[in-house]
Amino acid sequence: MSSGTENADTTDDGGSDAEGGHCSTPDSDGEVATEIAIVSFDRKMDTAEEIEAGIGDRYETVDVIEYHGDVFEEHWGEYDCFVGLMASGIAMRKTAHLLDDKWDDPAICVVDEELTWAIPITGGHHGANQVAQDLATMGAVPAMTTASEAAGKRGVESRAKAMDAHIVNGDSTVQTNLAVLDDTLGPVARLDGPKAVLVGDDVTVLKRNTDDGIVVGTGSVSGASKAAFLAAWETALEQTDDDLADVEFVATATRKEDEDGLLAAARELDLGVVAFDKETLLAHEGPTPSKSKELIGWPGVSEAAAIAGGAEQELVLEKISYEGEVTVAIGR
């Protein structure tokens, strides 16, 4: 997933209303960019190479291509997203005749030579917003104009990324993202099969990218540091047969979703964050007693979140505590 991290509310059956950074999504309907091309005039090649060095490790492919009049047409379909190191008008004029369908077209994000602005032009929810957010780590201001982001909310595409899932029926997101804007979408229901499901055009179906990943459930005291979260997660993973590459996402409680240290640690590891509500955590309470339930009515966050988030809802590692700051459990 991307450096961005996201949040989730959930239903009683363990579903998640999640948002997130980018993840590898085979058969993903195009909502994630993994292969990008930086298109630049020759005089701006130093900046293009700076961008390649700055965000290149977040993508499978980052190519730098010198601009010429037919460059977009020549490479159309080869990349998930074009980063145009040029004026937005140039990118618009040179690609307008190539655009056909948002689920198939590559995304386009333009950035100026001084890395002041990163502007998604097309495919905001399909890679351009993601790239703009990554460019923000280099100092650029991401100018999001997609309705949900402009309103300070995250669409269902972003929520899928945080859960390491992909959207099966892309056309449905028109209606579900309108519901996001109206705050009427509600939590994403989790449905375990085998089952057959009949849905309408206004129901977005998310499918996990893997069936054997793990979920890092985590809680903390208020103000826990990024270093504490990173060390706690590393310590917990060392006690399992899994490693960081197996982690689908980090799971926590909605009351902890704004912890700066948690979000910073997840960004550093390129993981999404899914936050479960109180009712879901109570329905998936772990075996280790927790004082928080006696004091405030919430179960122990780390175990409950790990169980609720896991595809099998199985607890692999019971709660461990790191220096009294962070608790961690591992679910599958």
Side-chain angles (χ1 to χ4, degrees):
M1 294 182 201
S2 77
S3 56
T5 57
E6 310 299 341
N7 310 319
D9 297 325
T10 58
T11 60
D12 291 341
D13 59 356
S16 305
D17 180 6
E19 306 166 6
H22 69 261
C23 53
S24 176
T25 54
D27 189 31
S28 66
D29 283 329
E31 66 264 27
V32 172
T34 60
E35 299 179 333
I36 68 174
I38 303 168
V39 180
S40 172
F41 290 94
D42 180 64
R43 66 181 182 274
K44 300 181 179 180
M45 278 296 173
D46 287 347
T47 303
E49 291 170 1
E50 181 183 347
I51 294 172
E52 180 185 21
I55 66 173
D57 60 350
R58 306 176 193 185
Y59 298 87
E60 293 178 7
T61 301
V62 178
D63 292 334
V64 176
I65 302 174
E66 185 174 348
Y67 174 82
H68 58 80
D70 297 321
V71 66
F72 292 106
E73 187 164 7
E74 181 179 318
H75 294 282
W76 200 254
E78 294 180 19
Y79 298 94
D80 302 315
C81 182
F82 288 103
V83 179
L85 190 54
M86 61 189 64
S88 58
I90 297 173
M92 291 171 63
R93 286 192 298 272
K94 293 298 183 180
T95 60
H97 68 291
L98 301 172
L99 297 171
D100 180 41
D101 180 87
K102 72 175 184 178
W103 291 97
D104 297 323
D105 295 332
I108 302 169
C109 179
V110 296
V111 62
D112 62 289
E113 188 173 6
E114 301 301 320
L115 297 181
T116 304
W117 301 99
I119 308 172
I121 293 181
T122 64
H125 285 152
H126 309 283
N129 287 355
Q130 164 202 325
V131 172
Q133 288 170 337
D134 286 344
L135 288 169
T137 65
M138 300 183 66
V141 176
M144 309 294 193
T145 57
T146 43
S148 51
E149 280 72 18
K153 301 175 182 179
R154 294 292 184 179
V156 291
E157 297 91 346
S158 295
R159 300 175 181 198
K161 293 176 193 128
M163 299 173 66
D164 196 12
H166 64 274
I167 295 171
V168 174
N169 53 338
D171 290 343
S172 66
T173 61
V174 174
Q175 293 298 318
T176 50
N177 277 328
L178 286 174
V180 170
L181 286 174
D182 294 337
D183 291 321
T184 59
L185 181 63
V188 176
R190 171 173 175 161
L191 181 64
D192 294 315
K195 283 185 174 72
V197 182
L198 178 65
V199 300
D201 292 338
D202 59 351
V203 177
T204 297
V205 178
L206 311 182
K207 186 177 184 298
R208 287 179 181 267
N209 294 321
T210 178
D211 293 326
D212 57 1
I214 60 172
V215 173
V216 174
T218 194
S220 70
V221 299
S222 296
S225 66
K226 179 183 79 170
F229 280 104
L230 291 172
W233 299 345
E234 181 180 1
T235 299
L237 288 171
E238 288 174 349
Q239 298 184 37
T240 72
D241 294 328
D242 300 290
D243 56 31
L244 185 61
D246 300 308
V247 178
E248 292 184 74
F249 54 82
V250 175
T252 190
T254 51
R255 68 186 184 90
K256 291 293 181 183
E257 63 189 357
D258 294 324
E259 285 286 338
D260 291 340
L262 167 62
L263 298 178
R267 279 195 298 269
E268 181 160 318
L269 298 181
D270 211 17
L271 294 172
V273 175
V274 174
F276 292 104
D277 62 17
K278 181 179 179 179
E279 289 72 22
T280 299
L281 294 182
L282 285 170
H284 298 88
E285 192 169 359
T288 305
S290 173
K291 291 182 179 179
S292 66
K293 189 172 184 182
E294 299 176 13
L295 296 174
I296 58 175
W298 284 74
V301 169
S302 57
E303 288 184 347
I307 294 169
E312 303 297 328
Q313 297 191 327
E314 171 191 355
L315 192 61
V316 175
L317 177 70
E318 293 187 9
K319 179 181 76 174
I320 65 169
S321 178
Y322 180 80
E323 295 189 352
E325 283 193 77
V326 177
T327 59
V328 189
I330 306 293
R332 188 182 305 281

